Amino acid sequence: MSRTNTTAQEIPQEIERFNIIFRIQHILMFSTFLILSFTGWGLKYAYEPQGLSSIWIRIWGGAETAGLIHRIAGVTMLVDFIWHVLYLGYLFATKRMTIDLKTTVIPLPKDVFDVIKNFMYFLGLSKEKARFGKYSYAQKFDYWAVFWGMFIIGFSGYALAFPMQVSYIIPEFTTGWIWQLLGIMHSDEALLAIVFILFWHFYNEHLKPEVFPMSWIWITGKISTEKLKHHHPIEYEMLFPDEAKKDKKE
Amino acid sequence: MSYKKFLIFVAPLLFLSLFLPRDGFPQESANCLACHSAMKGRLETSGGRLIELNVDTDRFRTSVHGSLSCTDCHMRFSENPHSLPSAPVPSSVLSVSSKVSSKHTVDPVAAAACNNCHEDIYKKVLDSVHGRNITEKNKTDGALCLDCHGSPHYITRSTDPGSRVSRKNQVETCGKCHGDEKIIEKYSLEENVMESFEESFHGRKLHLGHMRAPVCSSCHNAHDIRTKDDPASPVFGKNKLETCGKCHKGANEKFIPAITHKPAGPIPHYAEIGLIFLTMGVFAFVVLHVLLEAFSDIRDAIFRKGREE
């Protein structure tokens, strides 16, 4: 090893972006999401197209079995979500995770400006793309969409799956409309979730030329420093300030 | 006996057996069907009603009534071929036939004959909202046996998928009247019962083949049907607790409003509109963003080569 190559900081080949617990939570989330979408779709569009939904539901073992699969997957997803929230609480409580504006997934005004900046770039009005911290606005959108979905679809789904238990805790004055509201919430927002995942998440993490067929971070949890520098420059500069300064001089 | 001799004796016998009456119809039925299985078309009576003349022998034979003889129900017919119907009729049937004569103008006796075997059920029907429409209001719309079960010649068990009152067909059968705007208006029936059932989880699951999903009669009773304002109706007030409880153990008062034929109130209605706007908004943003980004990627690949950061 020659002395000329030493820098103040050794740059690793790759860094860990998501630890094993986050990765397991993500796998549970997407596998239950797919099962729920497949089984729920048959019920939402039970009458159309003609007869196809009946065949589709039969593939899932008939209406009773498909319903059971849907409930098991739904409860698993809810447990996964609660686990995630508790785990975040644990990380904050033990100071393993702190809020930093450059690494947080919390939406900030900067994200709105980033969207505008990128649209300007797409339209050729600007020559610079937005520069991101640890999470781009697209990733933040993905993340918080799950929270919205869990509150709207998840808890309405729980009430619909276990109506008898839930009926004891709903207030008297809501009984005239709450059941219909729950059904509408569950069904309409599930469609929103499917459309969102199909267009937003699938494009950004699978179909985009630079990640096709998929971004492997979901399974390795690691991102190469090269990619980090390219896609998350603000985080890169924060992690390796000396290297970033050197890059700028060159 | 040699094989050839055996054939000479047995073959003609086998051939003759083709001419035997099949499946042992009562002799009398076979006589009637000799003509009525071949007759086609309808006959207009003096009252201007049309009578279907044809009886499909095969379907009649496999129906639950296949072993009855024609005159068990068509009591007033005796001679063969029949002249004007005039045979004596038991008083029990006559009393029923006088009650249903406003609906069955052609042969009320045949319509009342169901009472001979199905006395309890007939009594329930005449006491139901369907029956009283005929016996008390003298209207003809009230459903009687044939309106729901179809022609008595072809009735099969309700467990048979082909039956008009089976799990598969029952909703459609009830819908003939309860989905008919004229009848709904005439009797101010609950509107949208068919649509609301189809929309409900019950209706969807039934359509997808769920074995325990309810049909109309599961909640409203079959023969003993009543309006929802009748205290004896299974869907009247607190009776719902027991009715829903048949499937949903422990159904309570906050649970039972979950299923209703009533249209959605303002809260679910506006919530749905709001959610549709949200979905459309998100969809528009997402699609626009993805398309523009893909477009700019292609543009960069072609026109801005080597200018990547």
Side-chain angles (χ1 to χ4, degrees):
Chain A
M1 217 190 248
S2 62
R3 283 180 174 240
T4 48
N5 267 352
T6 50
T7 50
Q9 200 179 5
E10 202 65 47
I11 302 276
Q13 279 280 308
E14 52 187 18
I15 63 159
E16 188 175 66
R17 189 164 161 79
F18 297 115
N19 72 24
I20 182 74
I21 292 181
F22 285 135
R23 276 177 274 157
I24 292 172
Q25 286 170 352
H26 172 246
I27 290 170
L28 278 175
M29 181 59 65
F30 81 69
S31 45
T32 52
F33 178 84
L34 290 174
I35 292 171
L36 289 165
S37 308
F38 288 147
T39 49
W41 191 271
L43 188 64
K44 180 167 171 64
Y45 295 103
Y47 298 96
E48 54 207 331
Q50 275 302 315
L52 268 184
S53 288
S54 301
I55 297 169
W56 178 241
I57 285 297
R58 236 175 286 146
I59 292 173
W60 287 90
E64 290 96 329
T65 316
L68 184 67
I69 293 172
H70 194 88
R71 284 172 176 83
I72 292 171
V75 170
T76 311
M77 185 187 257
L78 272 175
V79 169
D80 184 39
F81 173 70
I82 292 164
W83 178 28
H84 178 73
V85 173
L86 291 178
Y87 182 60
L88 285 185
Y90 160 80
L91 289 180
F92 280 120
T94 55
K95 299 257 162 58
R96 271 164 235 240
M97 189 184 268
T98 49
I99 293 179
D100 184 307
L101 294 186
K102 286 172 184 172
T103 57
T104 184
V105 75
I106 298 169
L108 298 168
K110 176 185 180 295
D111 296 305
V112 179
F113 294 120
D114 284 351
V115 174
I116 296 168
K117 217 174 189 178
N118 260 3
F119 267 102
M120 301 262 285
Y121 178 83
F122 296 156
L123 296 169
L125 298 172
S126 156
K127 294 206 165 161
E128 271 179 35
K129 281 187 185 177
R131 300 173 86 246
F132 304 121
K134 185 165 186 180
Y135 301 108
S136 71
Y137 64 81
Q139 290 160 337
K140 290 184 181 181
F141 197 7
D142 254 344
Y143 181 79
W144 292 105
V146 178
F147 270 76
W148 168 260
M150 292 313 303
F151 281 111
I152 302 290
I153 316 173
F155 291 106
S156 67
Y158 183 83
L160 293 171
F162 307 103
M164 205 62 70
Q165 287 74 7
V166 172
S167 69
Y168 290 106
I169 54 171
I170 59 169
E172 189 72 48
F173 71 92
T174 64
T175 52
W177 44 265
I178 195 149
W179 297 107
Q180 273 168 318
L181 181 67
L182 288 168
I184 288 168
M185 275 162 57
H186 194 73
S187 156
D188 285 14
E189 287 311 276
L191 182 67
L192 172 60
I194 291 170
V195 164
F196 181 78
I197 291 291
L198 214 56
F199 285 84
W200 189 247
H201 192 72
F202 271 39
Y203 182 75
N204 287 320
E205 309 298 337
H206 293 271
L207 288 175
K208 217 191 248 185
E210 59 206 29
V211 290
F212 188 84
M214 70 179 89
S215 157
W216 297 100
I217 299 171
W218 72 274
I219 196 150
T220 63
K222 303 216 167 57
I223 183 169
S224 71
T225 341
E226 206 47 47
K227 276 195 177 151
L228 183 74
K229 193 168 137 189
H230 186 73
H231 294 297
H232 306 281
I234 296 175
E235 188 192 10
Y236 177 78
E237 283 159 18
M238 192 192 82
L239 289 174
F240 313 111
D242 298 336
E243 194 66 16
K245 264 181 214 160
K246 221 176 73 186
D247 287 344
K248 267 188 186 166
K249 275 177 197 163
E250 278 168 12
Chain B
M1 200 188 284
S2 80
Y3 175 65
K4 263 192 179 171
K5 267 186 189 164
F6 176 76
L7 261 188
I8 288 165
F9 277 110
V10 175
L13 286 175
L14 282 174
F15 180 70
L16 279 174
S17 73
L18 290 176
F19 295 97
L20 288 172
R22 280 183 286 167
D23 271 351
F25 269 126
Q27 186 55 39
E28 187 194 19
S29 288
N31 288 342
C32 302
L33 288 169
C35 294
H36 279 279
S37 67
M39 288 168 95
K40 293 259 157 62
R42 294 171 174 190
L43 183 78
E44 194 175 343
T45 65
S46 50
R49 292 299 209 88
L50 289 173
I51 307 172
E52 176 72 51
L53 292 174
N54 181 263
V55 175
D56 184 329
T57 315
D58 287 336
R59 284 181 66 202
F60 174 61
R61 198 183 52 187
T62 51
S63 81
V64 289
H65 295 142
S67 61
L68 296 182
S69 72
C70 302
T71 49
D72 284 345
C73 301
H74 300 280
M75 292 172 181
R76 296 165 76 209
F77 294 89
S78 51
E79 291 159 45
N80 184 24
H82 50 81
S83 50
L84 276 181
S86 57
V89 174
S91 63
S92 62
V93 174
L94 268 182
S95 78
V96 174
S97 79
S98 68
K99 283 181 190 164
V100 301
S101 58
S102 62
K103 184 176 177 70
H104 289 283
T105 47
V106 177
D107 191 355
V109 167
C114 307
N115 189 61
N116 261 357
C117 298
H118 307 284
E119 197 182 343
D120 287 348
I121 288 173
Y122 216 127
K123 203 177 275 171
K124 276 184 189 169
V125 174
L126 289 179
D127 199 32
S128 76
V129 67
H130 285 159
R132 275 182 287 152
N133 183 266
I134 300 161
T135 57
E136 287 177 13
K137 296 184 184 166
N138 285 321
K139 298 268 167 55
T140 55
D141 297 308
L144 222 54
C145 316
L146 315 192
D147 294 301
C148 305
H149 292 278
S151 163
H153 303 134
Y154 313 129
I155 292 177
T156 50
R157 299 213 157 270
S158 62
T159 47
D160 172 56
S163 162
R164 290 227 234 166
V165 294
S166 69
R167 289 176 57 77
K168 191 166 159 282
N169 299 328
Q170 186 184 114
V171 176
E172 197 190 330
T173 300
C174 298
K176 275 187 199 138
C177 292
H178 288 271
D180 182 332
E181 279 174 30
K182 279 183 206 149
I183 295 205
I184 292 172
E185 208 188 316
K186 187 171 172 186
Y187 296 101
S188 26
L189 302 177
E190 181 89 41
E191 286 172 46
N192 291 321
V193 287
M194 308 308 294
E195 292 85 350
S196 56
F197 178 75
E198 278 180 14
E199 277 294 302
S200 73
F201 283 109
H202 286 166
R204 286 162 187 271
K205 288 179 181 177
L206 179 74
H207 185 77
L208 292 173
H210 196 292
M211 299 303 285
R212 283 172 292 127
V215 289
C216 310
S217 63
S218 313
C219 307
H220 296 279
N221 280 355
H223 300 111
D224 188 18
I225 200 146
R226 289 163 187 274
T227 75
K228 61 183 188 300
D229 308 317
D230 186 331
S233 162
V235 294
F236 176 83
K238 291 196 172 178
N239 297 353
K240 281 186 194 167
L241 289 174
E242 198 189 317
T243 307
C244 299
K246 285 195 287 187
C247 297
H248 301 278
K249 292 268 170 300
N252 59 65
E253 285 187 22
K254 290 196 279 187
F255 170 80
I256 53 177
I259 287 290
T260 169
H261 287 298
K262 294 237 171 354
I267 295 175
H269 177 72
Y270 288 110
E272 175 150 44
I273 290 175
L275 291 176
I276 287 171
F277 270 106
L278 177 74
T279 305
M280 299 302 279
V282 169
F283 186 68
F285 171 77
V286 161
V287 168
L288 190 66
H289 190 283
V290 165
L291 286 179
L292 284 177
E293 187 173 15
F295 158 74
S296 82
D297 277 346
I298 295 167
R299 179 196 62 200
D300 291 355
I302 297 171
F303 298 110
R304 301 185 184 175
K305 267 180 205 163
R307 285 184 55 188
E308 252 173 66
E309 41 179 318

